[in-house]
Amino acid sequence: MGSEKLPFLLVVIIQAIYAWMFILTKAALDAGLNPFVLLFYRQAIASVVLFPITVITNWRTSFNFSFKVLLKIFMLSLVGITIGLNASHIGLELTSETVGSAAFNAIPVITFFLAFLMRMETLNIRKSHGIAKAAGVVLCLAGVGLIAFYMGPRIPPLNHHKLFHPKSSTSGHSDSKVHSSGTWIKGTFLLLFANVAWSLWLVMQGFILEEFPSKLLLTTIQCFFSTLQSFIVAIAFERDFSKWKIGFDVRLLGVIYCALCNAGISWYLQAWCLQVKGPVFVAMSNPLCILFTVISSVLILGVPVSLGSVLGGILTIAGLYCVLWGKSRERKILMASDENSDNQNSEHVVIIGESLS
């Protein structure tokens, strides 16, 4: 029974890790850390952590690196990590950790939509599973729209002592900036753009893994390329190296936690759950992320949560489950049709055998 419950426990831990990734990233940004510098630091630490693990794991295996394959991985890193995470950090800086975790639920839906445009997925609106998948995409877009254009009343925190104290307005991270409707809308759509980049990154990885079998080595190379790319972006937008310094505060905590979250515990736990239970099981746990984020904001962080973020998160969760249900229903129908065709073929063989005898 313990082994059967272990995947359920692990996905809870994974989503809690992701929730605190949004929280600590937001805290580091509010403390004055440049979002581009944050990405460079986290990818550099991730590369340092992954490199020895990759060498120890694959030192007996030989790989042929063609220029074409390396170029594909370079572009993959550029789209999914450098562009996607930079957009996510800026969007998180302009909104809140709750919005970031709510938008996180849209990734499986956007991935399905991109796969449909690339003809990797089917959508038959005459069938119940096709209607469910189409409704999921609509609900997801409605949730993002609600988060962007409706803030509503704010749910007051039960803890009135903030765990992380942002810098004053002179640093450009005041509450007025976050609460401005213009920056809020801009930040929400930057998060949506980041999700599109991540979804495209997931789809592109499927093609590359066909000719590059080592997932760990692929991740390490991506971290290395994204470190170089993010350094170029960071130095282009922040040339004052005095602002690159971070002390022993929430900025350092956010950088180290995000790096370990990407390349450490959560990566291995998620890979294990994917192997044991499959991607649908892991995707269905995504809504736990916004639940943990809201609970942490209200009970621990002392940060109010807008009603629009919660309602938008509920709509994106509903859209996620519609798409997942449609995918599951479609898979069952295909499996049933394959079994029927196999039975018909076996009956046909028996009839031929009887006629010959």
Side-chain angles (χ1 to χ4, degrees):
M1 265 323 268
S3 60
E4 293 178 1
K5 293 180 180 179
L6 185 59
F8 295 92
L9 175 63
L10 290 182
V11 293
V12 172
I13 295 174
I14 290 169
Q15 295 306 324
I17 290 174
Y18 280 134
W20 277 92
M21 181 187 69
F22 287 113
I23 290 169
L24 290 175
T25 300
K26 175 63 175 174
L29 294 171
D30 286 347
L33 185 60
N34 184 286
F36 304 110
V37 176
L38 170 61
L39 179 60
F40 165 68
Y41 280 148
R42 63 180 283 183
Q43 291 308 113
I45 294 174
S47 299
V48 172
V49 171
L50 276 176
F51 180 75
I53 298 174
T54 306
V55 171
I56 294 172
T57 306
N58 298 286
W59 71 279
R60 290 185 177 180
T61 308
S62 60
F63 297 94
N64 294 322
F65 297 103
S66 66
F67 176 77
K68 184 178 180 181
V69 171
L70 288 176
L71 181 60
K72 288 180 180 179
I73 299 176
F74 181 87
M75 295 304 298
L76 189 68
S77 305
L78 181 64
V79 172
I81 300 177
T82 306
I83 295 178
L85 285 177
N86 271 322
S88 174
H89 287 170
I90 299 173
L92 197 60
E93 184 182 30
L94 300 179
T95 55
S96 70
E97 59 274 8
T98 308
V99 176
S101 59
F104 180 66
N105 292 306
I107 293 177
V109 181
I110 297 173
T111 303
F112 161 76
F113 184 69
L114 291 175
F116 169 72
L117 293 179
M118 296 179 182
R119 297 184 179 182
M120 299 170 62
E121 287 281 352
T122 58
L123 183 63
N124 188 353
I125 58 175
R126 296 181 180 179
K127 302 291 184 179
S128 59
H129 55 79
I131 295 174
K133 290 192 286 187
V137 174
V138 173
L139 285 172
C140 178
L141 293 176
V144 173
L146 186 63
I147 293 172
F149 299 107
Y150 176 72
M151 291 183 63
R154 303 182 72 81
I155 302 173
L158 299 181
N159 175 24
H160 296 284
H161 299 283
K162 288 188 176 182
L163 183 61
F164 305 117
H165 296 278
K167 284 188 174 182
S168 62
S169 58
T170 57
S171 63
H173 296 271
S174 65
D175 290 342
S176 60
K177 178 181 178 181
V178 174
H179 296 162
S180 169
S181 60
T183 56
W184 187 274
I185 294 172
K186 186 189 299 182
T188 303
F189 280 99
L190 278 172
L191 288 171
L192 178 61
F193 175 76
N195 288 341
V196 173
W198 288 336
S199 300
L200 186 60
W201 176 62
L202 291 173
V203 174
M204 290 167 61
Q205 274 193 103
F207 294 110
I208 293 181
L209 284 172
E210 293 178 358
E211 52 185 316
F212 201 91
S214 175
K215 295 179 182 179
L216 181 58
L217 183 58
L218 175 62
T219 304
T220 304
I221 296 175
Q222 286 188 83
C223 282
F224 173 73
F225 280 149
S226 62
T227 300
L228 299 178
Q229 294 165 355
S230 58
F231 175 75
I232 295 172
V233 174
I235 202 171
F237 284 91
E238 185 57 82
R239 299 184 181 182
D240 184 2
F241 282 97
S242 64
K243 295 182 180 180
W244 288 53
K245 297 178 180 179
I246 52 177
F248 291 94
D249 53 17
V250 69
R251 293 173 294 177
L252 179 62
L253 177 62
V255 168
I256 294 176
Y257 183 91
C258 289
L260 295 180
C261 175
N262 268 359
I265 300 172
S266 64
W267 191 88
Y268 288 103
L269 294 180
Q270 185 166 286
W272 187 88
C273 290
L274 283 169
Q275 185 178 12
V276 174
K277 286 288 189 177
V280 175
F281 175 80
V282 177
M284 288 185 70
S285 67
N286 279 7
L288 291 174
C289 182
I290 185 175
L291 177 64
F292 289 141
T293 306
V294 171
I295 292 175
S296 299
S297 298
V298 174
L299 296 181
I300 301 175
L301 301 177
V303 177
V305 178
S306 67
L307 180 62
S309 300
V310 175
L311 295 178
I314 293 173
L315 281 179
T316 56
I317 291 170
L320 168 65
Y321 281 126
C322 282
V323 171
L324 291 176
W325 182 88
K327 288 281 295 175
S328 177
R329 178 66 176 169
E330 184 181 39
R331 188 178 298 109
K332 290 179 180 178
I333 293 174
L334 289 174
M335 290 175 63
S337 63
D338 290 340
E339 290 178 0
N340 291 333
S341 62
D342 290 340
N343 292 334
Q344 289 176 0
N345 291 334
S346 61
E347 291 175 0
H348 184 62
V349 171
V350 170
I351 292 173
I352 292 176
E354 291 177 350
S355 62
L356 291 175
S357 62

